[in-house]
Amino acid sequence: MCDTCGCNITPGNQHLVENDGKHATTEDGKSAVTVLKNLLSENDHQALHNREHFNKHGVLAINLMSSPGSGKTALLETTISALKSEFNIAVIEGDLETENDAQRIRQTGVPAIQIVTGTACHLDAHLVHKAVHQLDLSELDIVFIENVGNLVCPASFDLGHHRNVTLLSVTEGDDKPAKYPVMFRAADVMLLSKIDLLPFLDDFSPQRAIHCMQHLANPAPVLQLSAKTQQGLEEWLEWLRQEVTTQKQNAKQTPHTHHHHHEHETAATH
């Protein structure tokens, strides 16, 4: 367990380990490894359930990850403005504290559900599940989940989403993919953000960042853009359009039957 930030326990799963919770005591009464395995297993069961919700309605769910301040919310504001005439969009916002980002998103005219994680430096499937039930998925095409700003923990927790989008701003080091391989290996697309600032930064090389990404053997595309100037934005919007189309086609082809949550547990343990 991570004693520093308590990151394995969130407001979404703490009921499982507190008081008379399902995993409050382990076989020997104290094994932290067992507790962690149980929590990750519970998370994956819940993620499966979340994904079924999204799939049933043909909604594309995107997990947006990056370090703090790399421009996730600004990217969402620009993206929503560009696409809201084409798609119905909602946002689930994860932050340690405050509703600041959700309020920014609401000003674009789309629903935003704020999740305040307290000490937990990532979102988990239980927290996302609570937020999903505050949205009418039958009315939506895309749900963006803006994860807590952190390049480590969010990559380890399945939320029930379909695609990981990892931002790397040019104000950060171009070796970030090498330093945080789990996060960048998980990316389905990497966005180099804030490229309007490149003329002022002589120590950031987009080529080096892309090379670090490729060195991880991750074939994901790397798109360079600026939410501020909208430079490179169209390529990102086109990627999203294709993902929405794919998700809708998959939803039509897959017959969905509703399972009760306890049935997932059997399926997910195999």
Side-chain angles (χ1 to χ4, degrees), residues 96-125:
L96 299 184
E97 296 291 345
T98 81
E99 285 242 341
N100 296 357
D101 287 351
Q103 286 167 352
R104 280 174 61 182
I105 297 299
R106 287 176 197 133
Q107 285 170 358
T108 68
V110 305
I113 311 297
Q114 181 74 54
I115 299 171
V116 175
T117 63
T119 59
C121 51
H122 62 271
L123 290 174
D124 69 8

Side-chain angles (χ1 to χ4, degrees), residues 49 52-53 56 129 133 255-261 263-264:
H49 186 57
E52 281 193 348
H53 276 311
K56 181 180 166 189
H129 183 248
H133 278 290
H256 294 287
T257 52
H258 184 71
H259 301 292
H260 290 295
H261 187 52
E263 289 172 1
H264 296 301

Side-chain angles (χ1 to χ4, degrees), residues 43-203:
N43 184 80
D44 289 346
H45 297 160
Q46 184 62 67
L48 187 70
H49 186 57
N50 293 353
R51 198 169 284 111
E52 281 193 348
H53 276 311
F54 292 128
N55 291 347
K56 181 180 166 189
H57 297 287
V59 173
L60 173 67
I62 292 197
N63 181 24
L64 212 56
M65 300 185 290
S66 78
S67 53
S70 64
K72 292 187 296 297
T73 313
L75 175 75
L76 284 178
E77 288 170 323
T78 304
T79 302
I80 290 163
S81 298
L83 291 181
K84 67 180 178 183
S85 60
E86 294 176 52
F87 302 119
N88 290 325
I89 299 169
V91 176
I92 295 170
E93 275 290 343
D95 278 301
L96 299 184
E97 296 291 345
T98 81
E99 285 242 341
N100 296 357
D101 287 351
Q103 286 167 352
R104 280 174 61 182
I105 297 299
R106 287 176 197 133
Q107 285 170 358
T108 68
V110 305
I113 311 297
Q114 181 74 54
I115 299 171
V116 175
T117 63
T119 59
C121 51
H122 62 271
L123 290 174
D124 69 8
H126 295 89
L127 291 167
V128 169
H129 183 248
K130 288 179 185 173
V132 166
H133 278 290
Q134 297 175 61
L135 296 169
D136 183 357
L137 292 184
S138 64
E139 297 289 316
L140 295 172
D141 302 301
I142 308 173
V143 172
F144 288 106
I145 304 165
E146 184 178 336
N147 220 312
V148 180
N150 178 358
L151 280 179
V152 183
C153 310
S156 301
F157 288 81
D158 187 1
L159 308 177
H161 57 284
H162 302 105
R163 292 286 180 263
N164 285 320
V165 175
T166 305
L167 275 72
L168 172 61
S169 75
V170 302
T171 52
E172 302 174 74
D174 50 27
D175 60 349
K176 281 285 192 292
K179 286 185 171 181
Y180 299 92
V182 176
M183 172 69 76
F184 286 92
R185 204 174 274 129
D188 295 296
V189 61
M190 178 168 92
L191 302 183
L192 281 183
S193 62
K194 305 189 185 182
I195 61 166
D196 56 294
L197 297 177
L198 274 175
F200 308 101
L201 302 164
D202 57 5
D203 58 348

Side-chain angles (χ1 to χ4, degrees), residues 216-264:
L216 298 174
N218 184 348
V222 178
L223 310 181
Q224 303 185 42
L225 55 75
S226 163
K228 195 172 191 176
T229 65
Q230 302 198 14
Q231 184 184 352
L233 191 69
E234 193 50 47
E235 200 177 357
W236 157 243
L237 299 179
E238 198 47 47
W239 184 86
L240 280 171
R241 289 184 187 107
Q242 288 175 6
E243 291 294 331
V244 171
T245 302
T246 301
Q247 176 62 2
K248 300 255 182 238
Q249 286 169 347
N250 290 346
K252 281 178 193 164
Q253 289 164 8
T254 312
H256 294 287
T257 52
H258 184 71
H259 301 292
H260 290 295
H261 187 52
H262 62 81
E263 289 172 1
H264 296 301

